[in-house]
Amino acid sequence: MPLNRRKFLEKSAVTGAGVALAGAVSAPGAQAAEAKRGAKRYAFTVLGTTDLHGNVFNWDYFTDKEFDDKDHNDVGLAKVSTLVNRVRAEKGRRNTLLIDAGDTIQGTQLSYYYAKVDPITATGGPVHPMAQAMNAMGYDAAALGNHEFNYGIPVLRKFEQQCDFPLLGANALDAKTLRPAFAPYSMHRLRTPHGRDVKVAVLGLTNPGIAIWDKANVQGKMTFPGLEEQAAKWVPKLRSMGADVVIVSAHSGSSGTSSYGDQLPYIENAAALVAEQVPGIDAILVGHAHTEIPEYFVANKKTGQKVVLSEPLKWGQRLTLFDFELVWEKGCWKIEKVGAKVLNSNTVEEDPKITKLLTDEHEKVVAYVNQVIGTNTAEMTSAEAPYKDVPIIDLINHIQADTVKQALAGTEYAALPVLSQAACFSRSARIPAGQVTIRDVAGLYVFENTLEARLMTGAQMKAYLEFSANYYVQTAPDAPVDPAKLTNANGTPDYNYDVVSGLAYEIDIAKPAGSRVANVRFEGQPLADDARFVFAVNNYRANGGGNFPHVAAAQVLWSNSEEIRNTMIAWVKAKGSIDPAAFAGVDWKLTRDGTPVF
């Protein structure tokens, strides 16, 4: 969709005039007079959130109780709103801006419900709870995150319409015209006591990995070039338009790494590279990586200017504050000092204005997720899933393999054996004995992934398993084993450790990465390199997420637009009961020199 200039200019003027030029440079005599009176100074604060992922309330819909973790963090916009109100009261409402760095409308059952169950796209449909909350809080701008595209472009466009602030994406381009499909930036005018307004530009950048992770939703419609390239294009324009301060809101981590290898010529986590390579940026609100960075300075390689970066922790657990101090010098505003810090949302109560606004929506979702859909003969949990073969992960693989077998029945691939991959998305997932609800099953699969079937060989599956085994920290045969320190080697997240059903294998954690997988067998026999398999795999992995070998290039035999989570819910409804004895087994184990670790 080409950029609508009129709409863009209207949205750019969120807090004041959008693109007016800065004031004229004062004459030398006037400058001297100013110097005698003392320099004019002004301070303002930019507040930032990121990776809210559908969290409004301090509530966990998967456990049906108040959110809590080992660090006693709290979540949700209602908490953040209280922090925002306090900062505005201290600094003055007109001296603050509130922005976000993306991943807003996916992640909780609240956001899922209003995308799929009672969709905002329906005629006369509801207003998205995240739009309601963010509008009530007075957000000034938000960058697009990659998860904004999970439900398809129509849902995103409807959400955009419902927001009172612009969704920014300078590197989200229309695939045909290569023009911005969303507003690239917004411009905000802050009034000072000195009659000299400060113009603050917010440039939005999103993640190029969208082209891979949401290929089905964006292919042929949008393209996503690199952040550095587009920042280099837009920052000079913003300066020429009179911006005194340029802030980038980037849904991109700061590490300079990518999880999709060489499939795209762009860096996934490029925020620090943008600061290094593109002159004229003063601050970057970082998102996507789900890490906490209170304050981090990066020197621009061309100018030496220090750029401050900050990333508040996900889900509304933290609020970033960028504090700017400016001085009027030689006819324009100059930054004299800038710093950043984060505030913890667990230090405040929820804003009753926000909770009251969305109580009805919250209660609808609580009732929905607590619907009983079947029974279970024995409790299953994911607490040990990162290092043991446990039934709850076997359930995912069993349902995926069963679904693919049914889909390929009657085709030329029907006779091939089906393997399946699954990861532990949540270490707190639990399906109790007795009655099973939607939230029990949904809590096991928290992402909006869909299912595909790819054609793989035995040799390729061995390489796949070997890559997955990089997840473990090398542990000597005689060293004590602490499960808390055994996993997530080199920062590998749990969701990038796959176990594969249909094969039996060992992972020797005493050996270095790249030579750990041993004794791989299929139906009791050593796995032949030329054996052919149907591989049931989620679309994130199939499209290159995690950079696992071979699977992204493998032949597609079948794909499905239904989310795996819904497939699992439908499977339990159809069966009426879950019996782990029917599918659970120990097919893989950790060893050291052939001796099992557990």
Side-chain angles (χ1 to χ4, degrees):
M1 175 177 168
L3 181 66
N4 184 309
R5 179 172 174 81
R6 176 177 297 175
K7 179 180 177 183
F8 168 50
L9 290 178
E10 288 174 352
K11 281 203 167 187
S12 293
V14 178
T15 62
V19 293
L21 295 175
V25 176
S26 58
Q31 291 179 18
E34 285 180 9
K36 289 180 180 179
R37 291 194 300 269
K40 296 181 174 68
R41 285 185 166 82
Y42 175 68
F44 71 96
T45 298
V46 176
L47 304 93
T49 55
T50 191
D51 296 279
L52 294 168
H53 284 288
N55 285 279
V56 173
F57 297 87
N58 186 41
W59 191 260
D60 186 340
Y61 293 96
F62 296 134
T63 61
D64 200 27
K65 60 185 180 182
E66 184 175 313
F67 176 89
D68 193 29
D69 63 12
K70 62 182 178 62
D71 298 317
H72 302 297
N73 287 303
D74 287 346
V75 300
L77 277 174
K79 290 265 184 174
V80 173
S81 183
T82 301
L83 291 175
V84 169
N85 291 339
R86 288 188 177 184
V87 175
R88 285 172 172 166
E90 176 190 348
K91 308 283 186 179
R93 175 67 178 86
R94 294 173 61 180
N95 302 321
T96 64
L97 294 173
L98 176 59
I99 65 174
D100 183 78
D103 275 7
T104 303
I105 60 171
Q106 176 278 337
T108 64
Q109 286 295 286
L110 180 71
S111 53
Y112 175 82
Y113 186 89
Y114 288 99
K116 291 287 190 177
V117 181
D118 185 11
I120 61 174
T121 49
T123 303
V127 177
H128 199 288
M130 293 302 287
Q132 291 191 58
M134 295 173 82
N135 289 342
M137 291 171 63
Y139 269 80
D140 295 293
L144 295 165
N146 53 284
H147 283 288
E148 259 66 83
F149 294 85
N150 285 173
Y151 297 118
I153 292 174
V155 170
L156 175 53
R157 287 299 188 193
K158 187 64 177 180
F159 175 70
E160 180 188 26
Q161 292 172 12
Q162 294 177 341
C163 290
D164 295 338
F165 51 90
L167 300 183
L168 308 178
N171 62 328
L173 309 182
D174 182 276
K176 294 180 180 179
T177 66
L178 298 183
R179 297 180 63 188
F182 294 84
Y185 67 91
S186 58
M187 194 77 81
H188 311 270
R189 187 185 295 276
L190 301 178
R191 300 197 178 280
T192 76
H194 309 296
R196 308 281 190 174
D197 293 350
V198 172
K199 293 185 63 179
V200 181
V202 179
L203 178 68
L205 296 170
T206 192
N207 206 290
I210 295 166
I212 289 176
W213 305 321
D214 268 301
K215 183 178 180 180
N217 290 329
V218 301
Q219 188 173 35
K221 300 173 184 176
M222 292 186 189
T223 185
F224 303 88
L227 285 82
E228 309 98 306
E229 168 194 323
Q230 293 301 304
K233 173 183 176 181
W234 284 100
V235 170
K237 291 184 178 181
L238 297 174
R239 289 293 183 182
S240 70
M241 292 163 60
D244 299 296
V245 177
V246 173
I247 299 169
V248 173
S249 184
H251 193 75
S252 180
S254 63
S255 65
T257 61
S258 284
S259 66
Y260 44 74
D262 58 0
Q263 296 176 73
L264 282 178
Y266 311 120
I267 300 296
E268 175 183 349
N269 295 301
L273 295 175
V274 171
E276 282 185 354
Q277 296 176 16
V278 182
I281 297 170
D282 298 303
I284 300 180
L285 177 64
V286 179
H288 182 63
H290 288 201
T291 57
E292 182 176 342
I293 305 174
E295 182 184 66
Y296 174 45
F297 286 96
V298 175
N300 184 269
K301 290 183 176 180
K302 294 182 181 179
T303 65
Q305 177 189 350
K306 287 188 176 181
V307 183
V308 63
L309 282 67
S310 181
E311 180 176 6
L313 199 58
K314 65 185 185 297
W315 306 345
Q317 295 179 45
R318 304 289 186 272
L319 173 70
T320 278
L321 271 65
F322 290 107
D323 288 313
F324 291 87
E325 296 180 18
L326 278 62
V327 60
W328 182 261
E329 192 175 87
K330 296 181 180 179
C332 61
W333 288 108
K334 300 287 187 183
I335 294 178
E336 198 169 41
K337 183 179 178 182
V338 60
K341 62 182 179 181
V342 295
L343 303 181
N344 195 328
S345 66
N346 72 5
T347 62
V348 297
E349 298 299 316
E350 292 183 321
D351 183 351
K353 174 184 174 182
I354 303 301
T355 56
K356 182 179 180 181
L357 179 68
L358 292 166
T359 294
D360 289 348
E361 287 83 347
H362 172 70
E363 291 178 349
K364 283 182 182 179
V365 176
V366 169
Y368 163 74
V369 299
N370 280 289
Q371 292 179 48
V372 175
I373 56 174
T375 60
N376 179 32
T377 61
E379 182 184 50
M380 298 182 288
T381 76
S382 62
E384 297 181 319
Y387 49 89
K388 287 184 182 180
D389 189 346
V390 295
I392 202 166
I393 304 299
D394 292 339
L395 175 63
I396 300 174
N397 276 326
H398 180 68
I399 294 173
Q400 290 182 165
D402 192 35
T403 301
V404 167
K405 285 175 185 176
Q406 292 182 42
L408 295 179
T411 72
E412 60 181 300
Y413 304 105
L416 290 179
V418 177
L419 311 179
S420 179
Q421 62 80 221
C424 176
F425 294 146
S426 169
R427 296 192 185 199
S428 61
R430 172 180 172 269
I431 298 182
Q435 291 187 333
V436 176
T437 64
I438 285 178
R439 68 176 172 83
D440 294 326
V441 179
L444 179 56
Y445 212 105
V446 300
F447 294 112
E448 274 67 41
N449 296 338
T450 57
L451 188 60
E452 297 189 15
R454 299 281 177 124
L455 185 63
M456 298 277 279
T457 68
Q460 289 173 334
M461 290 309 307
K462 290 177 185 175
Y464 192 97
L465 292 172
E466 193 65 69
F467 182 88
S468 188
N470 293 340
Y471 173 72
Y472 293 105
V473 175
Q474 187 175 1
T475 308
D478 58 348
V481 175
D482 180 356
K485 299 178 180 178
L486 182 62
T487 62
N488 307 102
N490 299 313
T492 303
D494 290 348
Y495 63 75
N496 273 345
Y497 171 61
D498 286 357
V499 301
V500 174
S501 71
L503 298 176
Y505 56 97
E506 299 173 5
I507 299 174
D508 191 332
I509 60 172
K511 290 184 166 54
S515 58
R516 292 175 171 171
V517 176
N519 200 24
V520 185
R521 293 179 173 269
F522 173 66
E523 295 183 342
Q525 300 300 314
L527 179 62
D529 286 347
D530 62 351
R532 296 204 312 161
F533 298 94
V534 175
F535 191 33
V537 59
N538 70 55
N539 69 305
Y540 172 80
R541 189 71 76 235
N543 290 331
N547 199 29
F548 278 61
H550 304 300
V551 65
Q555 181 182 347
V556 181
L557 306 182
W558 172 83
S559 64
N560 184 19
S561 61
E562 184 70 32
E563 293 162 8
I564 294 171
R565 177 167 54 201
N566 281 348
T567 298
M568 293 172 61
I569 291 169
W571 187 92
V572 175
K573 281 183 177 179
K575 298 290 183 182
S577 64
I578 302 170
D579 182 5
F583 56 80
V586 180
D587 296 319
W588 66 274
K589 58 188 175 183
L590 301 184
T591 64
R592 289 188 291 185
D593 290 345
T595 301
V597 176
F598 300 105

